[in-house]
């Protein structure tokens, strides 16, 4: 009987599966096939779902006409797309978004719902001058709106121009005006410099349009062209920015010098700068007299007049008005020889002298640069000093006067204090309160776009793994247990006992056949008796006996394994 046990090879796993499957009823076979088919379909579906491309925004805030044209173009090219936000947003696969934008741009899409100067390309013959003017105005409005939309913060724009009809009478002439409506992206605002740029752009594009006649509002109706500081209303945004930069530079100087001494949370600094943006030129010519040592004569003129004629005298009348007596010729009246008589004494003498001295002349041409500082106002507040009292408690005490003077001197030197300029400096010492500062608004981590993208990708893979685990442990494992049941513990022990008994019987039979291991005079033990004895033995004793036989003669175990590998051929030959 031991030889029969050794001769029967164990069945293969596939044979066991086939036998168990044949034992199932037709209903069980059909249910297993349906479950297996559903599991395969579920796996394939989840795999295809996980392999879907990521979609990104191609265009947003589209007009209906532009959205329809873009969808038609995508359908013609067999490109997958999605439409969201009531048709205002179109999504395409992320890996092709940039390529499709360039491709649609070559087709002139999207037009943005605005008509530019391309409106002038389709002019009909015989159109009136009024229609030409209207088309030109529409095209100009569209081009300005497109240019304004190129700003990063602007999502959409509309421009309205009011251009009056030209007239030959200057008294009745009206100036054009313009209005701009900008639709800003969520969370974005226009800086004053950007608003000024929009105003300058529109005013420069329309003849005779002044910048003051341009109004800019946002989608909430806020007027953006009047948002200026009342105290600096006459300054343009560039000048306002310059003033802020100057004040920030002085504040930074004071902070750098006080931070090592007091620490950042123990002082506050504010600086107000009065900046002169007036462009002035001054030319002066100054004259000063030269002092006596440096006196220099520029020009001198002397006049000396003498006359020998007596002045008119007598009673006015006929005699005094008689003409003078004719002069006597020298021929009839001999001349007086020179030196013969004394020269006549002049009756009237007049002398005058004019002297021009050089002057100290100074000519000055002064041109003051823009942005010079006229006056600085500096305010510094310092916190009280924290000290421990004898009991160990922390208390705040005012700073000593000497230390305040030292801080004042440092701040004075840091800002370049000038009394001639009229600067003011005030350093105060006061206890700071523990009031919380301005609340910093932070986005929750679960609202972060990057974290949301990672969470979606992780959820996709978790769903895929969950489906695989469900199919493996919920469908395939029960089917395998049905067609190939797992042996219980009792069955495993019985199988091990059967194998140990077979090994022991084979070892005894081989020993008896070979005539080895027996002492002289020992009688042969019949197989039935040997099997009965083995049946009475426990599992541990059978294993121990098999180990003893293998230890005494390993050739028996080798012969047994060889017999198993040959499928019992040796036993059949021996039989």
């Amino acid at each position: 009987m031991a030889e029969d046990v050794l001769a029967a090879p164990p069945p293969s796993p596939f044979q066991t599966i086939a036998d168990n499957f044949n034992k199932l009823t037709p209903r069980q076979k059909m249910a297993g096939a349906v479950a297996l088919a559903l599991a395969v379909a579920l796996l394939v579906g989840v795999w295809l779902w996980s392999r879907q491309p990521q979609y990104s925004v191609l265009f947003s805030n589209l007009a209906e006409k532009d959205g329809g044209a873009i969808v038609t173009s995508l359908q013609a090219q067999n490109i997958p797309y999605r439409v969201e936000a009531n048709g205002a947003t179109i999504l395409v696969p992320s890996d092709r978004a940039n390529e499709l934008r360039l491709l649609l741009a070559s087709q002139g899409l999207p037009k943005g719902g605005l008509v530019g100067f391309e409106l002038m390309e389709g002019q009909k013959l015989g159109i009136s001058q009024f229609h030409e003017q209207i088309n030109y105005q529409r095209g100009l409005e569209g081009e300005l709106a497109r240019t304004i939309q190129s700003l990063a913060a602007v999502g959409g724009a509309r421009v309205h121009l009011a251009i009056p009809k030209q007239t030959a009478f200057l008294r009745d002439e009206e100036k054009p005006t313009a209005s701009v409506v900008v639709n800003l992206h969520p969370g974005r605002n226009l800086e004053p410099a950007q608003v000024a740029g929009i105003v300058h752009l529109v005013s420069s594009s329309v003849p005779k349009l002044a910048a003051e006649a341009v109004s800019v509002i946002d989608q909430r109706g806020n007027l953006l062209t009047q948002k200026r500081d009342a105290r600096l209303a006459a300054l343009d945004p560039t000048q306002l920015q310059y003033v802020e930069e100057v004040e920030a530079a002085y504040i930074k100087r004071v902070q750098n010098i006080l931070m090592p001494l007091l620490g950042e949370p123990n002082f506050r600094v504010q600086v107000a700068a009065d900046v002169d943006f007036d462009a002035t030129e001054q030319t002066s010519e100054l004259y000063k007299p030269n002092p006596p040592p440096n006196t220099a004569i520029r020009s001198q003129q002397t006049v000396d007049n003498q006359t020998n004629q007596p002045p008119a005298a007598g009673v006015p009348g006929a005699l005094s008005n008689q003409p003078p007596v004719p002069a006597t010729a020298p021929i009839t009246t001999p001349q007086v020889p020179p030196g013969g008589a004394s020269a006549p004494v002049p009756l009237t003498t007049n002398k005058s002298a004019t002297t021009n001295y050089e002057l100290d002349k100074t000519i000055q041409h002064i041109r003051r640069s823009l942005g010079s500082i006229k006056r600085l106002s500096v305010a510094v507040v310092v916190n009280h000093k924290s000290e421990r009292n004898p009991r160990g408690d922390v208390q705040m005490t005012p700073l000593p006067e000497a230390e305040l003077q030292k801080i004042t001197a440092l701040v004075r030197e840091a800002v370049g204090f000038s009394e001639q300029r009229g600067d003011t400096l005030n350093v105060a010492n006061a206890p700071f309160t523990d009031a919380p500062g301005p609340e910093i608004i932070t986005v929750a981590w679960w609202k972060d776009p990057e974290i949301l993208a990672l969470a979606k990708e992780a959820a996709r893979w978790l769903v895929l793994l969950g489906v695989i685990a469900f199919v493996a442990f919920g469908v395939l494992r029960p089917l395998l247990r049905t067609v190939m049941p797992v042996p219980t513990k009792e069955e495993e022990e019985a199988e091990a006992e059967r194998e140990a008994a077979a090994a022991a019987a084979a070892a005894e039979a081989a020993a008896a056949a070979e005539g080895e291991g027996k002492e002289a005079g020992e009688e042969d033990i019949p197989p039935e008796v040997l099997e009965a004895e083995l049946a009475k033995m426990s599992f541990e004793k059978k294993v121990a006996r098999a180990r003893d036989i293998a230890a005494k003669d390993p050739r028996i175990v080798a012969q047994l394994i060889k017999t198993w590998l040959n499928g019992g051929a040796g036993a059949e030959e021996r039989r």
Side-chain angles (χ1 to χ4, degrees):
M1 186 175 182
E3 294 178 357
D4 295 339
V5 174
L6 294 175
S12 61
F14 296 101
Q15 184 65 30
T16 304
I17 293 174
D19 295 340
N20 293 332
F21 183 76
N22 293 329
K23 294 178 182 179
L24 297 176
T25 62
R27 180 175 296 180
Q28 292 177 339
K29 293 179 181 179
M30 183 62 67
V34 170
L36 186 60
L38 290 177
V40 174
L42 183 60
L43 284 176
V44 173
V46 172
W47 174 255
L48 294 178
W49 171 78
S50 64
R51 298 297 296 175
Q52 285 184 354
Q54 294 287 341
Y55 281 82
S56 61
V57 177
L58 179 64
F59 294 109
S60 59
N61 298 326
L62 291 173
E64 294 181 357
K65 187 176 181 180
D66 288 339
I70 293 174
V71 168
T72 302
S73 178
L74 295 177
Q75 289 177 350
Q77 302 176 39
N78 197 19
I79 297 174
Y81 65 90
R82 292 180 182 176
V83 179
E84 295 182 356
N86 297 326
T89 302
I90 297 179
L91 293 85
V92 294
S94 301
D95 55 346
R96 300 197 59 185
N98 296 330
E99 175 188 356
L100 291 176
R101 289 193 189 99
L102 297 177
L103 183 61
L104 293 174
S106 65
Q107 301 176 7
L109 296 175
K111 297 180 180 179
L114 301 172
V115 180
F117 281 133
E118 66 271 8
L119 184 64
M120 308 296 293
E121 298 175 357
Q123 292 286 353
K124 297 181 181 179
L125 184 63
I127 192 172
S128 64
Q129 184 179 3
F130 175 76
H131 284 87
E132 287 183 352
Q133 182 65 26
I134 292 299
N135 290 339
Y136 172 76
Q137 182 173 338
R138 288 180 59 195
L140 182 58
E141 291 176 351
E143 293 295 334
L144 289 174
R146 290 175 180 176
T147 305
I148 296 173
Q149 285 180 1
S150 62
L151 298 178
V154 179
R158 291 291 300 274
V159 178
H160 302 279
L161 300 178
I163 302 177
K165 186 178 180 180
Q166 295 182 357
T167 178
F169 300 97
L170 296 178
R171 182 179 300 173
D172 300 334
E173 184 180 8
E174 296 181 1
K175 299 296 183 181
T177 58
S179 301
V180 181
V181 180
V182 292
N183 187 5
L184 303 178
H185 290 296
R188 304 292 294 274
N189 292 317
L190 286 177
E191 298 293 335
Q194 293 175 318
V195 176
I198 294 175
V199 171
H200 185 72
L201 169 68
V202 177
S203 62
S204 302
S205 302
V206 180
K208 299 181 181 180
L209 177 59
E212 294 77 10
V214 180
S215 301
V216 181
I217 63 174
D218 59 8
Q219 71 271 22
R220 294 181 294 271
N222 298 324
L223 186 61
L224 304 180
T225 50
Q226 291 184 353
K227 287 187 175 180
R228 289 188 177 181
D229 191 355
R231 129 183 114 84
L232 301 172
L235 302 181
D236 58 20
T238 305
Q239 294 174 344
L240 292 175
Q241 183 179 2
Y242 177 76
V243 173
E244 293 176 356
E245 291 177 355
V246 169
E247 294 176 349
Y250 281 105
I251 292 174
K252 188 67 175 178
R253 290 182 183 179
V254 178
Q255 288 177 346
N256 290 340
I257 200 169
L258 294 183
M259 192 177 299
L261 299 177
L262 305 175
E264 183 177 2
N266 293 323
F267 68 94
R268 295 292 183 271
V269 182
Q270 287 296 329
V271 176
D274 187 4
V275 183
D276 185 9
F277 290 101
D278 297 334
T280 59
E281 293 184 4
Q282 179 182 357
T283 302
S284 59
E285 187 173 349
L286 305 177
Y287 296 92
K288 296 180 180 180
N290 291 327
N294 299 326
T295 302
I297 298 176
R298 182 178 183 181
S299 63
Q300 186 176 12
Q301 184 178 4
T302 304
V303 178
D304 187 1
N305 293 327
Q306 295 180 359
T307 178
N308 296 326
Q309 296 294 334
V315 177
L319 294 178
S320 61
N321 293 331
Q322 293 294 328
V325 179
T328 303
I331 300 175
T332 59
T333 303
Q335 295 181 349
V336 178
S342 60
V345 178
L347 300 178
T348 303
T349 302
N350 185 12
K351 292 184 179 180
S352 63
T354 302
T355 303
N356 295 324
Y357 294 94
E358 290 289 350
L359 298 178
D360 186 4
K361 179 181 180 181
T362 303
I363 299 177
Q364 294 181 349
H365 182 77
I366 302 174
R367 182 177 181 180
R368 293 186 176 89
S369 60
L370 296 177
S372 60
I373 299 177
K374 296 192 299 184
R375 184 172 177 269
L376 282 179
S377 299
V378 184
V380 180
V381 57
V382 182
N383 191 14
H384 281 182
K385 182 171 58 176
S386 60
E387 294 181 350
R388 290 187 178 274
N389 54 19
R391 294 179 299 178
D393 299 332
V394 177
Q395 61 181 6
M396 306 300 293
T397 58
L399 294 177
E401 187 65 26
E403 192 169 351
L404 282 178
Q405 293 179 359
K406 181 176 65 174
I407 294 174
T408 303
L410 291 175
V411 175
R412 183 188 298 268
E413 296 297 330
V415 299
F417 186 86
S418 174
E419 293 182 356
Q420 293 79 9
R421 195 169 53 187
D423 295 348
T424 58
L425 173 62
N426 187 7
V427 178
N429 181 218
F432 286 6
T433 62
D434 297 332
E439 183 180 358
I440 300 176
I441 301 175
T442 58
V443 179
W445 63 270
W446 61 82
K447 295 182 180 180
D448 191 353
E450 296 183 359
I451 296 179
L452 288 177
L454 292 176
K456 290 180 180 179
E457 188 68 20
R460 176 178 300 180
W461 287 104
L462 287 176
V463 170
L464 180 60
L465 294 177
V467 171
I468 293 175
F470 171 74
V471 172
F473 296 101
V475 179
L476 297 181
R477 188 175 181 181
L479 290 177
L480 291 177
R481 285 183 176 180
T482 303
V483 298
M484 190 176 180
V486 180
T488 61
K489 185 176 180 180
E490 292 77 6
E491 294 177 350
E492 291 179 353
E493 292 180 356
E495 182 66 20
E497 185 177 354
R498 188 184 66 84
E499 291 179 359
E508 293 292 344
E514 296 292 336
E516 298 176 1
K518 292 184 180 180
E519 297 179 0
E522 185 178 358
E523 297 180 356
D524 295 337
I525 301 176
E528 294 80 3
V529 178
L530 181 59
E531 185 176 356
E533 292 294 334
L534 291 175
K536 296 178 181 179
M537 297 174 61
S538 62
F539 174 74
E540 290 77 7
K541 291 183 178 180
K542 293 177 182 178
V543 174
R545 185 170 181 180
R547 289 177 179 174
D548 293 340
I549 295 174
K552 291 179 180 179
D553 197 346
R555 290 180 300 173
I556 298 176
V557 180
Q559 183 65 25
L560 177 61
I561 294 175
K562 183 177 179 181
T563 304
W564 286 349
L565 293 176
N566 293 331
E572 292 293 337
E573 293 177 357
R574 223 184 279 107
R575 185 177 299 175

